[in-house]
Amino acid sequence: LKISLETKADFGRIAAQTAKQVILQKIKEVEKEETYKEFRDKQGTIVSGIVQRIEQTVIFVDIGRTSGILPKSEQVRGEFYKLGQRLKLYVLKTEETPKGPQVVLSRDYPKLISKLFELEVPEIGADQVEIKSIARESCSRSKVAVEAKEEGIDPIGSLVGQRGTRILAVTIEL
C-alpha cells in the first residue's frame, strides 16, 4: 500500500524523534496496565518464579511479564534463596505504583499449602475433597484438616497419595 505524503518543513529530525517518544510512551503505559490487570486477576493464586536479585529486606522474583517482590515478612524463617532458583509463590496483592505494577508475593501464607494441594490432588479440583482448615508453623510443620464431600472417598488417602507421592511433592515444594 503506497500513500504519498505531503512534504512539509516541520517534518524534521526533531519532530520524528518526538513522535517516536510519544508512541513508545503510550506502548509502555498500555503494557503496565495489562500487566496490572493480569496479576490483579491472579491475586490469591500460585505463580512460579525465578529468583533474580537478593537484597537485605526483599527478594526480587521474575514471574513472567514483571518482577514480584518477596518481603522479609513473607519469607519462611530459615529458608535460603539462591539466584536462579525456581520457586512457587502465593500472590498476596497487586498494587499500582508510579513505576508500574508491584506484585507482593509470599512463601509463608497458609493458603500456599491449600493451593499446592489443589495443584497436586485432582480430587480437590473435582470438588470431591475439601480442605477445611490449615494450621502452619513455617519451617517446621503444617496440619491440614480435610473432609470428603462424596461417599466412598478417603480424604486423607487422597491427599497423601500412593506411597505418599502427593504429600511428598507438596513437602518438597515447601
Side-chain angles (χ1 to χ4, degrees):
L1 179 63
K2 291 186 179 183
I3 300 173
S4 59
L5 182 64
E6 294 178 30
T7 56
K8 293 187 179 178
D10 62 346
F11 277 168
R13 181 182 56 83
I14 296 172
Q17 190 70 19
T18 304
K20 178 183 173 184
Q21 287 176 347
V22 168
I23 292 169
L24 289 175
Q25 182 63 34
K26 292 289 183 189
I27 290 172
K28 285 179 184 177
E29 286 175 14
V30 170
E31 282 179 349
K32 285 180 184 179
E33 184 64 32
E34 288 300 313
T35 303
Y36 174 73
K37 286 179 185 174
E38 177 187 341
F39 284 99
R40 185 187 64 207
D41 295 341
K42 287 185 178 182
Q43 219 164 308
T45 62
I46 285 186
V47 293
S48 185
I50 299 171
V51 175
Q52 273 185 331
R53 196 169 81 222
I54 301 171
E55 291 183 2
Q56 195 75 29
T57 58
V58 70
I59 293 175
F60 293 91
V61 182
D62 177 23
I63 52 176
R65 293 172 107 184
T66 188
S67 284
I69 62 165
L70 181 62
K72 191 84 166 167
S73 61
E74 295 299 331
Q75 296 174 19
V76 175
R77 185 172 35 90
E79 193 172 59
F80 299 101
Y81 305 99
K82 297 178 221 140
L83 289 176
Q85 180 181 3
R86 183 169 289 280
L87 298 169
K88 286 210 187 323
L89 304 131
Y90 186 82
V91 180
L92 272 182
K93 61 185 172 183
T94 305
E95 300 169 339
E96 191 75 63
T97 64
K99 292 183 178 180
Q102 184 179 50
V103 182
V104 181
L105 306 167
S106 176
R107 290 276 298 164
D108 193 38
Y109 199 67
K111 280 274 190 187
L112 174 69
I113 294 171
S114 69
K115 294 296 181 184
L116 287 172
F117 272 117
E118 285 176 20
L119 291 174
E120 199 64 39
V121 181
E123 287 87 351
I124 294 174
D127 212 28
Q128 296 172 329
V129 175
E130 179 185 10
I131 296 177
K132 286 290 190 183
S133 174
I134 297 172
R136 182 176 185 201
E137 290 177 26
S138 296
C139 190
S140 61
R141 63 184 178 163
S142 299
K143 302 266 184 181
V144 180
V146 291
E147 176 185 45
K149 290 186 168 184
E150 292 184 12
E151 200 67 33
I153 293 180
D154 177 21
I156 298 170
S158 65
L159 262 67
V160 171
Q162 262 187 331
R163 296 190 187 119
T165 54
R166 292 177 178 171
I167 194 87
L168 185 64
V170 172
T171 305
I172 288 170
E173 190 57 51
L174 291 174

mmCIF file of all heavy atoms in Angstrom, residues 8 62 78 89 92 109 121 134 139:
data_model
loop_
_atom_site.group_PDB
_atom_site.id
_atom_site.type_symbol
_atom_site.label_atom_id
_atom_site.label_comp_id
_atom_site.label_asym_id
_atom_site.label_seq_id
_atom_site.Cartn_x
_atom_site.Cartn_y
_atom_site.Cartn_z
ATOM 1 N N LYS A 8 6.395 18.740 4.218
ATOM 2 C CA LYS A 8 6.270 19.987 4.972
ATOM 3 C C LYS A 8 7.616 20.286 5.621
ATOM 4 O O LYS A 8 8.423 19.390 5.851
ATOM 5 C CB LYS A 8 5.182 19.873 6.041
ATOM 6 C CG LYS A 8 3.788 19.738 5.472
ATOM 7 C CD LYS A 8 2.769 19.792 6.566
ATOM 8 C CE LYS A 8 1.369 19.688 5.965
ATOM 9 N NZ LYS A 8 0.347 19.699 6.980
ATOM 10 N N ASP A 62 11.405 -13.034 39.207
ATOM 11 C CA ASP A 62 10.866 -12.889 37.857
ATOM 12 C C ASP A 62 9.665 -13.821 37.734
ATOM 13 O O ASP A 62 9.801 -15.043 37.845
ATOM 14 C CB ASP A 62 11.933 -13.243 36.823
ATOM 15 C CG ASP A 62 11.415 -13.176 35.398
ATOM 16 O OD1 ASP A 62 10.423 -12.466 35.162
ATOM 17 O OD2 ASP A 62 12.009 -13.837 34.527
ATOM 18 N N GLY A 78 14.455 -19.294 58.108
ATOM 19 C CA GLY A 78 15.395 -20.398 57.940
ATOM 20 C C GLY A 78 15.526 -20.893 56.508
ATOM 21 O O GLY A 78 16.304 -21.796 56.237
ATOM 22 N N LEU A 89 5.154 -19.402 44.442
ATOM 23 C CA LEU A 89 4.850 -18.336 45.384
ATOM 24 C C LEU A 89 3.369 -17.999 45.329
ATOM 25 O O LEU A 89 2.730 -18.106 44.284
ATOM 26 C CB LEU A 89 5.658 -17.080 45.035
ATOM 27 C CG LEU A 89 7.164 -17.295 44.973
ATOM 28 C CD1 LEU A 89 7.727 -16.727 43.720
ATOM 29 C CD2 LEU A 89 7.813 -16.710 46.175
ATOM 30 N N LEU A 92 -0.005 -12.355 47.021
ATOM 31 C CA LEU A 92 -0.760 -11.703 48.096
ATOM 32 C C LEU A 92 -1.586 -10.540 47.575
ATOM 33 O O LEU A 92 -2.786 -10.462 47.798
ATOM 34 C CB LEU A 92 0.189 -11.183 49.171
ATOM 35 C CG LEU A 92 0.569 -12.108 50.290
ATOM 36 C CD1 LEU A 92 1.481 -11.405 51.277
ATOM 37 C CD2 LEU A 92 -0.632 -12.662 51.001
ATOM 38 N N TYR A 109 2.442 -17.600 53.682
ATOM 39 C CA TYR A 109 0.990 -17.526 53.832
ATOM 40 C C TYR A 109 0.387 -18.938 53.887
ATOM 41 O O TYR A 109 0.729 -19.794 53.067
ATOM 42 C CB TYR A 109 0.417 -16.747 52.648
ATOM 43 C CG TYR A 109 -0.964 -16.202 52.869
ATOM 44 C CD1 TYR A 109 -1.204 -15.213 53.801
ATOM 45 C CD2 TYR A 109 -2.034 -16.679 52.130
ATOM 46 C CE1 TYR A 109 -2.463 -14.700 54.001
ATOM 47 C CE2 TYR A 109 -3.311 -16.170 52.317
ATOM 48 C CZ TYR A 109 -3.511 -15.181 53.250
ATOM 49 O OH TYR A 109 -4.770 -14.679 53.445
ATOM 50 N N VAL A 121 -3.558 -32.562 43.910
ATOM 51 C CA VAL A 121 -4.614 -33.551 44.184
ATOM 52 C C VAL A 121 -5.827 -33.269 43.294
ATOM 53 O O VAL A 121 -6.522 -32.265 43.481
ATOM 54 C CB VAL A 121 -5.020 -33.501 45.682
ATOM 55 C CG1 VAL A 121 -6.090 -34.521 45.983
ATOM 56 C CG2 VAL A 121 -3.807 -33.729 46.567
ATOM 57 N N ILE A 134 -6.286 -25.103 57.880
ATOM 58 C CA ILE A 134 -4.840 -25.289 57.812
ATOM 59 C C ILE A 134 -4.211 -24.574 58.988
ATOM 60 O O ILE A 134 -4.516 -23.417 59.251
ATOM 61 C CB ILE A 134 -4.258 -24.722 56.502
ATOM 62 C CG1 ILE A 134 -4.828 -25.467 55.301
ATOM 63 C CG2 ILE A 134 -2.744 -24.796 56.503
ATOM 64 C CD1 ILE A 134 -4.461 -24.847 53.979
ATOM 65 N N CYS A 139 8.373 -23.434 58.394
ATOM 66 C CA CYS A 139 9.680 -24.059 58.510
ATOM 67 C C CYS A 139 9.691 -25.306 59.391
ATOM 68 O O CYS A 139 10.684 -25.993 59.447
ATOM 69 C CB CYS A 139 10.703 -23.044 59.019
ATOM 70 S SG CYS A 139 12.394 -23.605 58.943
#
